[in-house]
């Protein structure tokens, strides 16, 4: 089972600043099957990025994903007030199990 | 409108069996390429994948919970059902169903749509 480790656990920033979130896998993630989700309090996760770098429908272009192998990054350029949330990475593919990182809490400074 | 909606008891007692239903709207699990997953999230904790059922009735389970989980579908009712036996307070969580939609793209194994979740508390 692939273990995903996200860092930092909490990131305190102000609107307008840029955010860099990291997701490291315990083994190589095949075919770049790595997704990022955003979750706000009391809400379900929302797909942001799939295939490590493809934005889901309706996701603003200030969100971008990069990486391959075992190291992946979610970058948010120019934080908007609605971006403060918890972000999870996930590895997926044909064969489960699917695993999620422990999350990065992006909080308002 | 394409949605998933979870339902089930808000409170169960230890050792009881939990039955959750995911109602599908706007799409069919009978369509080739569609899958539905169950994911849970204990209060303040991370997401945990539990099970998956596919359009062809293939089923997959978390290794650590395999002996306690059963996932099934009723295509005519557009529902997916998850049962979890021998419930414990550690199973207290919000339970989500989430879709995989590989129609038109066989590589799309990500969870593109989630239900709002149903909160389950295990307590005597």
């Amino acid at each position: 089972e692939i273990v995903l480790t996200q860092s930092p656990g909490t990131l305190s920033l102000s609107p307008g600043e840029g955010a860099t979130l990291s997701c490291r896998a315990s083994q190589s993630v095949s075919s770049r099957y790595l997704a990022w989700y955003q979750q706000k309090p009391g809400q379900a996760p929302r797909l942001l990025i799939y295939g490590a770098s493809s934005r889901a429908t309706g996701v603003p272009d200030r969100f971008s994903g990069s990486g391959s192998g075992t190291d992946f990054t979610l970058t948010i350029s120019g934080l908007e007030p609605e971006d403060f949330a918890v972000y999870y990475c996930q590895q997926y593919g044909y064969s489960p199990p699917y695993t999620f990182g422990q999350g990065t809490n992006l909080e308002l400074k | 409108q394409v949605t998933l909606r979870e339902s089930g008891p808000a409170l169960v007692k230890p050792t009881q069996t939990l039955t959750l239903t995911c109602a599908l709207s706007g799409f069919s699990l009978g369509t080739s390429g569609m899958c539905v997953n169950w994911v849970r999230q204990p209060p303040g904790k991370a997401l945990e994948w539990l099970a998956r059922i596919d359009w062809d009735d293939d089923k997959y389970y978390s290794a650590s919970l395999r002996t306690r989980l059963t996932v099934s579908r009723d295509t005519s009712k557009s529902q997916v059902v998850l049962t979890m036996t021998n419930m414990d307070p550690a199973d207290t969580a919000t339970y989500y169903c989430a879709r995989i939609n590989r129609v038109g793209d066989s590589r799309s194994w990500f969870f593109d749509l989630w239900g709002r979740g149903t909160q389950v508390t295990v307590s005597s």
Side-chain angles (χ1 to χ4, degrees):
Chain A
E1 175 175 302
I2 296 178
V3 176
L4 299 177
T5 303
Q6 292 186 239
S7 61
T10 300
L11 187 56
S12 300
L13 294 170
S14 300
E17 292 188 293
T20 300
L21 287 66
S22 174
C23 176
R24 177 162 290 180
S26 61
Q27 56 188 278
S28 183
V29 176
S30 62
S31 303
R32 302 180 79 216
Y33 280 166
L34 193 286
W36 290 93
Y37 299 87
Q38 176 193 66
Q39 187 178 34
K40 297 180 180 179
Q43 296 185 18
R46 169 198 176 198
L47 176 69
L48 294 178
I49 300 287
Y50 62 91
S53 60
S54 298
R55 274 188 299 275
T57 302
V59 174
D61 60 8
R62 62 180 181 273
F63 290 90
S64 63
S66 63
S68 63
T70 60
D71 289 298
F72 298 87
T73 301
L74 175 69
T75 302
I76 312 171
S77 58
L79 284 164
E80 297 286 343
E82 62 267 28
D83 297 337
F84 293 92
V86 179
Y87 292 83
Y88 293 96
C89 58
Q90 179 214 16
Q91 62 85 23
Y92 60 91
Y94 166 75
S95 182
Y98 302 129
T99 52
F100 294 87
Q102 82 278 20
T104 289
N105 180 24
L106 178 57
E107 66 175 21
L108 195 57
K109 189 173 183 180
Chain B
Q1 192 177 5
V2 183
T3 63
L4 304 94
R5 179 170 292 180
E6 305 87 349
S7 61
L11 179 66
V12 296
K13 291 180 167 46
T15 75
Q16 286 187 334
T17 294
L18 172 70
T19 299
L20 298 175
T21 299
C22 176
L24 315 180
S25 178
F27 72 99
S28 172
L29 187 52
T31 301
S32 178
M34 290 291 185
C35 314
V36 172
N37 298 269
W38 285 95
V39 176
R40 71 178 178 180
Q41 185 174 38
K45 295 189 177 180
L47 301 160
E48 179 186 15
W49 175 80
L50 301 176
R52 187 184 102 194
I53 186 166
D54 295 354
W55 75 97
D56 57 1
D57 211 32
D58 279 350
K59 300 162 187 174
Y60 302 84
Y61 298 99
S62 164
S64 62
L65 293 168
R66 181 185 307 275
T67 60
R68 300 175 53 206
L69 294 174
T70 302
V71 64
S72 61
R73 64 178 187 167
D74 184 334
T75 307
S76 63
K77 292 185 180 179
S78 293
Q79 291 181 344
V80 173
V81 175
L82 180 76
T83 61
M84 180 181 290
T85 61
N86 194 25
M87 293 292 286
D88 182 270
D91 297 315
T92 294
T94 298
Y95 287 75
Y96 297 99
C97 53
R99 184 182 77 167
I100 291 173
N101 178 8
R102 298 174 57 243
V103 177
D105 185 351
S106 62
R107 294 170 54 86
S108 298
W109 289 102
F110 48 84
F111 298 4
D112 73 326
L113 187 65
W114 296 63
R116 298 178 67 176
T118 186
Q119 192 164 339
V120 178
T121 299
V122 184
S123 175
S124 55

